[in-house]
Amino acid sequence: WLRKIQTRVAAAATRVIVPSEYLKNIVATWRIPREKIQVIYNGVDVVAPTLPSQRPDGFLIVSSGRRVPWKGFEAIERVTAREPSWHCFIASGLSRVDALGWVKSADVFVLNSTYEGFAHALLEAMMLGTPVIATDAGGNAELVEDGVTGLLIPPGDDKALYAAIKRVASDPIAARALAAAALSRVEKFSIAEMLSRTSDALTL
């Protein structure tokens, strides 16, 4: 019943706004005309993070979010255990400023999920200047250009996950270059840009 209601509401709407091309494709499967579906990326305002008081020595891998199966945290922890100098911290159940503090202090932020419509956590990491690795799932490829603003890996692939983290750990200069490129491209995900585009959509 909820799916029927969802489809009816979308079909009756003058315009349907979604936060990614990936979700646009999903809504289009509800037999909603594609020309009625508009992508407006969500804006994110990153608050000042609170850095952790005790950061572990060595190479720090951070991920964040709820402890749900599709986030792939267990795989990150498995891969981390292969290298004695690597440390993993999952920022789950923390305040936003504390979670962002861990992301900011990380050598790499990893989003290892098998599904993402629009990953705010990934965008926040990019805005904080932390190198990112993400699965090529959902809308992640709309945020990360592989080898340019971060690294994309296949979902559910421990071997690829390990290789990507190893690449970042082995070449911190290249990793910082990826992070700098990401930081220069996140302007279109600002709150101001989102509000401006939404205002334009509502006045059409």
Side-chain angles (χ1 to χ4, degrees):
W1 281 108
L2 287 175
R3 287 185 180 181
K4 287 182 179 180
I5 292 170
Q6 176 178 258
T7 303
R8 278 190 181 181
V9 170
T14 303
R15 184 170 290 102
V16 178
I17 296 174
V18 293
S20 67
E21 292 289 343
Y22 171 74
L23 290 174
K24 178 177 180 175
N25 291 333
I26 289 178
V27 173
T29 66
W30 304 348
R31 299 181 182 177
I32 308 299
R34 295 187 68 87
E35 60 271 15
K36 195 166 80 169
I37 310 169
Q38 183 172 352
V39 176
I40 298 179
Y41 290 113
N42 288 343
V44 173
D45 185 16
V46 177
V47 299
T50 301
L51 298 178
S53 57
Q54 293 184 329
R55 182 195 188 279
D57 295 330
F59 185 78
L60 178 61
I61 304 157
V62 170
S63 191
S64 64
R66 293 181 298 128
R67 280 270 185 184
V68 289
W70 61 86
K71 288 296 184 181
F73 293 145
E74 293 78 9
I76 300 173
E77 292 166 338
R78 280 196 305 272
V79 164
T80 300
R82 295 173 59 179
E83 297 285 342
S85 63
W86 291 5
H87 303 277
C88 174
F89 184 84
I90 307 299
S92 183
L94 302 179
S95 68
R96 186 166 181 239
V97 294
D98 287 336
L100 290 178
W102 279 99
V103 174
K104 176 69 175 176
S105 66
D107 293 294
V108 64
F109 175 83
V110 177
L111 185 69
N112 193 45
S113 51
T114 55
Y115 166 80
E116 292 288 345
F118 182 84
H120 293 89
L122 180 58
L123 181 55
E124 287 174 336
M126 296 168 71
M127 288 181 166
L128 288 171
T130 302
V132 298
I133 297 170
T135 49
D136 190 1
N140 290 347
E142 296 174 54
L143 294 174
V144 177
E145 183 179 355
D146 185 39
V148 178
T149 59
L151 301 177
L152 288 176
I153 59 173
D157 189 334
D158 282 20
K159 184 177 180 180
L161 175 60
Y162 174 78
I165 296 174
K166 187 74 172 177
R167 178 176 168 182
V168 172
S170 301
D171 194 345
I173 294 177
R176 286 196 294 272
L178 292 176
L183 193 58
S184 69
R185 293 192 181 185
V186 294
E187 288 185 0
K188 66 178 179 179
F189 302 107
S190 68
I191 297 289
E193 177 70 10
M194 178 191 69
L195 292 176
S196 175
R197 294 198 61 203
T198 302
S199 177
D200 290 344
L202 294 176
T203 54
L204 288 177

